[in-house]
């Protein structure tokens, strides 16, 4: 049975009332694994390409399976055994890796689990790990790191806090020279929500965003990552990884500078305005 994303988001909102936190000794991640088979809908793939900047083709963008796995991710986070309320969780980092390009014609067997709960100086961090296999062979891995802020955090760890998570190291010496300037429309949050299923209200409208301290709606972190990856289209190695740290939200509408720099084994890229929004690396 397919669970409605609308119902899952209703459950997510309710976790803000029903999950008030536990003592550190009681905090556990449930061992449950969600599995599903995904068939790519080419109209959906084309819509994802339009909002994120990819061309339409047979090869899937390396970030695309994330949206196919998202309903299973949300089901785990709203499940009975998950210890934290969803409102206020911060997506701080994401790493996707593939062993080869994935094709739209291939059925993907997806598995999602929660992993590596660890103390952070601001609370707790944990990973949502999603994998895709074709004919029994794992070809794609996605690791999203989340931060749950809590008073009286259990300990120190999790890397530098300025970037709100673990991931590629920060740019040094201020903003890099922009490669391109992007105008980000006020409807990007709603458009990406329509193709990703991620309908967190802070990405859709200013009023709910203000509840969490933002003056305007903010762009999805995974949209900003995908938009950056689109600039590499056709240039990524067959086997590669794209690792990002989400630093500051992009207000909608907005304008950001995109920069890309060649490194010894790949590329470093970033999004900036008056402050850094995203920093990432591509390795092959």
């Amino acid at each position: 049975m397919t669970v409605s994303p609308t119902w899952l988001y209703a459950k997510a909102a309710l976790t803000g009332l029903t999950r008030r936190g536990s003592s550190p000794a009681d905090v556990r991640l449930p061992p449950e694994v969600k599995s599903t088979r995904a068939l790519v809908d080419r109209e959906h793939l084309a819509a994802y390409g339009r909002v994120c900047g990819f061309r339409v083709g047979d090869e899937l963008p390396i970030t695309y399976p994330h949206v196919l796995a998202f309903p299973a991710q949300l089901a785990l986070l709203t499940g009975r055994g998950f210890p934290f309320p969803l409102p206020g969780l911060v997506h701080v980092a994401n790493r996707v890796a593939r062993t080869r390009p994935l094709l739209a014609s291939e059925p993907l067997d997806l598995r999602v689990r929660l992993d590596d709960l660890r103390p952070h100086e601001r609370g707790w961090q944990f990973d949502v790990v999603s994998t895709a296999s074709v004919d029994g062979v794992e070809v794609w891995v996605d690791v999203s790191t989340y931060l749950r802020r809590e008073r009286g955090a259990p300990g120190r760890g999790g890397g530098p806090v300025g970037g709100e998570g673990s991931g590629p190291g920060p740019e040094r010496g201020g903003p890099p020279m922009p490669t391109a300037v992007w105008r980000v429309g006020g409807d990007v949050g709603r458009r990406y929500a329509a193709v990703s299923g991620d309908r967190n209200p802070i990405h859709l409208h200013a009023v709910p965003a203000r509840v969490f301290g933002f003056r305007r709606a903010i762009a999805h972190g995974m949209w900003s990552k995908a938009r950056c990856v689109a600039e590499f289209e056709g240039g990524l190695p067959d086997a590669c990884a794209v690792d990002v740290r989400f630093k500051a939200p992009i207000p909608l509408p907005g304008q950001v500078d995109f920069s890309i720099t060649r490194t010894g084994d790949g590329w470093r890229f970033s999004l900036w305005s008056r402050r850094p929004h995203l920093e990432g690396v591509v390795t092959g």
Side-chain angles (χ1 to χ4, degrees), residues 123-183:
W124 295 95
Q125 280 190 341
F126 66 93
D127 298 328
V128 181
V129 181
S130 307
T131 63
S133 299
V134 177
D135 295 330
V137 178
E138 187 176 284
V139 292
W140 177 89
V141 180
D142 172 292
V143 181
S144 280
T145 300
Y146 289 87
L147 171 66
R148 166 62 185 175
R149 293 192 182 103
E150 287 193 358
R151 295 179 179 177
R156 299 187 65 84
V161 182
E164 295 280 13
S166 58
E171 297 277 0
R172 302 295 182 185
M177 183 67 66
T179 305
V181 178
W182 299 340
R183 295 188 182 277

Side-chain angles (χ1 to χ4, degrees), residues 12 16 41 60 66 87 91 115 151 162 169 220 262 279 281 284:
D41 181 312
L60 299 182
H66 180 93
H91 192 185
D115 195 25
R151 295 179 179 177
H220 296 74
R262 190 77 162 112
E279 292 172 347
V281 292

